[in-house]
Amino acid sequence: MIIFNTKQEIKSYLNTQNQANKTIGFVPTMGALHEGHLSLIKKAKKKNDLVVVSIFVNPTQFDNKEDLVKYPKTFENDTKLLESVSCDVLFFPSVEEIYEDNISSEKFDFDGLEHQMEGKFRDGHFDGVGTIVKTLFEIVAPHRAYFGQKDFQQLQIIKKMVKKHRLNVKIKGCPIFREKDGLAMSSRNTRLSKDRRAAAPFIYKTLKKARKKFGIENAIKVTEWVENQFKKHPFLELEYFTIADEKTLKTVKKKESNKKYRAFIAVFAGEIRLIDNIRLKND
Ligand code: AMP
């Protein structure tokens, strides 16, 4: 695996590869890699001649300063994991290399997707995401880029950005990779206390029950039920639960048979914020 720290060096290397007609698959990450990230890389390896992974903890997408400072950094282990899945290129730039002396976001219009769910609770988050992903796309110029459904809203927003800005890259969504007990893998899981880590699978269990209920009850009833489940919980505090249209991400009011729905959840386990989602049946 070749590691690059500067835009210029990686650009020039990938340019040569492009001229040799190599296809490039790209997986942007913030590091502290786990099996979820690796599942994206493995998928990219199957379809592309060359796989590029970036590790960059992007300051402009953090609304919470402490979360940014405490974001886990495990570079040595990350490189080992990347080698284990035969990643070809790692881009690991500094904040200065990306933002120079202006750490700020571009303003985006994602046709309202940015105002739902995460957008309501994390101010400026998706402008930060749009800014870094667009910048990385310009540097790496990938043919395909891989994103996890774990961050489903982010995935839809990136697809929207690619369409609106006519970027020449195919966006591939990948399924959520979970721990054996059902907890969605996340770099933040390592920061959970023992009690909270033990309690956290309750999130996915509740999502699965909500999926079942959605077959027989309306979205408002299911939402109330989920909210009640968390009211009694000693370790987990619900920030939001919502059942939304996959396309618009707007909360569903009345089920329509031609639409796809998904349930989305954000929970605080102490100071650690966890998100998850599940596809719902719509019969
Ligand atoms: P992050 O490093 O958290 O920014 O994640 C980098 C990419 O990996 C994003 O596209 C995430 O959606 C994806 N990802 C993170 N966790 C998982 C998971 N448990 N399953 C699938 N994809 C994931």
Side-chain angles (χ1 to χ4, degrees):
M1 182 172 72
I2 318 176
I3 303 177
F4 293 103
N5 300 111
T6 69
K7 295 182 259 193
Q8 213 195 340
E9 282 169 310
I10 190 169
K11 264 187 177 175
S12 117
Y13 174 79
L14 292 176
N15 230 337
T16 319
Q17 299 297 322
N18 237 327
Q19 274 159 14
N21 281 329
K22 296 260 167 77
T23 54
I24 298 170
F26 179 43
V27 183
T29 82
M30 298 204 295
L33 301 181
H34 50 66
E35 283 289 329
H37 297 113
L38 300 189
S39 70
L40 271 57
I41 300 168
K42 286 177 192 165
K43 200 163 175 186
K45 278 296 285 186
K46 283 197 184 137
K47 272 277 183 182
N48 302 276
D49 297 319
L50 210 71
V51 170
V52 179
V53 172
S54 62
I55 294 182
F56 182 68
V57 183
N58 174 37
T60 63
Q61 72 186 69
F62 282 79
D63 56 318
N64 176 336
K65 183 96 199 297
E66 196 182 328
D67 190 29
L68 171 62
V69 173
K70 291 194 175 161
Y71 200 83
K73 290 166 194 79
T74 58
F75 185 71
E76 278 201 10
N77 194 49
D78 289 353
T79 53
K80 274 188 204 145
L81 288 176
L82 290 173
E83 299 270 10
S84 78
V85 290
S86 308
C87 170
D88 302 287
V89 174
L90 169 60
F91 183 43
F92 182 54
S94 65
V95 172
E96 296 72 39
E97 179 64 19
I98 295 294
Y99 287 103
E100 293 167 12
D101 55 5
N102 182 18
I103 304 180
S104 65
S105 299
E106 203 180 306
K107 294 272 172 278
F108 287 90
D109 173 2
F110 298 118
D111 293 345
L113 294 180
E114 71 277 29
H115 301 312
Q116 307 300 325
M117 301 180 297
E118 293 296 282
K120 283 185 192 153
F121 291 92
R122 301 185 68 186
D123 198 26
H125 172 66
F126 288 117
D127 281 334
V129 169
T131 301
I132 188 58
V133 174
K134 195 156 157 272
T135 304
L136 291 170
F137 281 178
E138 278 158 14
I139 298 168
V140 177
H143 298 87
R144 301 182 187 89
Y146 297 78
F147 292 85
Q149 291 178 345
K150 158 92 186 339
D151 303 279
F152 192 85
Q153 187 172 11
Q154 168 176 283
L155 170 65
Q156 298 298 63
I157 277 177
I158 303 294
K159 283 185 181 164
K160 179 70 79 179
M161 180 176 79
V162 164
K163 205 167 172 192
K164 286 190 103 169
H165 293 249
R166 299 202 179 126
L167 307 180
N168 196 11
V169 51
K170 282 211 164 63
I171 303 301
K172 303 283 179 189
C174 306
I176 302 174
F177 210 89
R178 300 181 179 281
E179 301 286 355
K180 280 204 180 73
D181 58 16
L183 176 63
M185 286 198 183
S186 163
S187 306
R188 290 182 177 90
N189 291 352
T190 56
R191 292 184 52 212
L192 292 169
S193 70
K194 225 174 157 197
D195 286 343
R196 294 197 167 104
R197 173 62 191 83
F202 182 77
I203 299 169
Y204 184 51
K205 275 193 193 123
T206 308
L207 282 182
K208 284 196 292 188
K209 283 188 190 157
R211 178 174 59 185
K212 251 193 181 158
K213 285 190 179 288
F214 190 62
I216 32 180
E217 285 174 34
N218 69 34
I220 295 171
K221 279 264 158 60
V222 178
T223 305
E224 280 169 4
W225 178 82
V226 171
E227 286 169 355
N228 275 327
Q229 297 309 298
F230 280 90
K231 269 182 197 147
K232 302 172 215 154
H233 207 289
F235 294 117
L236 305 172
E237 190 195 330
L238 182 67
E239 185 173 51
Y240 68 77
F241 171 86
T242 183
I243 294 177
D245 181 322
E246 276 200 354
K247 226 173 177 177
T248 62
L249 302 180
K250 283 189 181 150
T251 300
V252 52
K253 296 211 168 75
K254 200 166 172 278
K255 248 194 251 183
E256 289 172 55
S257 59
N258 58 340
K259 299 230 164 113
K260 288 180 181 159
Y261 298 114
R262 211 169 254 268
F264 297 86
I265 194 164
V267 169
F268 275 100
E271 58 185 16
I272 312 301
R273 190 170 180 276
L274 302 171
I275 58 168
D276 202 346
N277 66 81
I278 194 167
R279 177 82 173 271
L280 301 175
K281 287 196 208 113
N282 183 21
D283 335 284

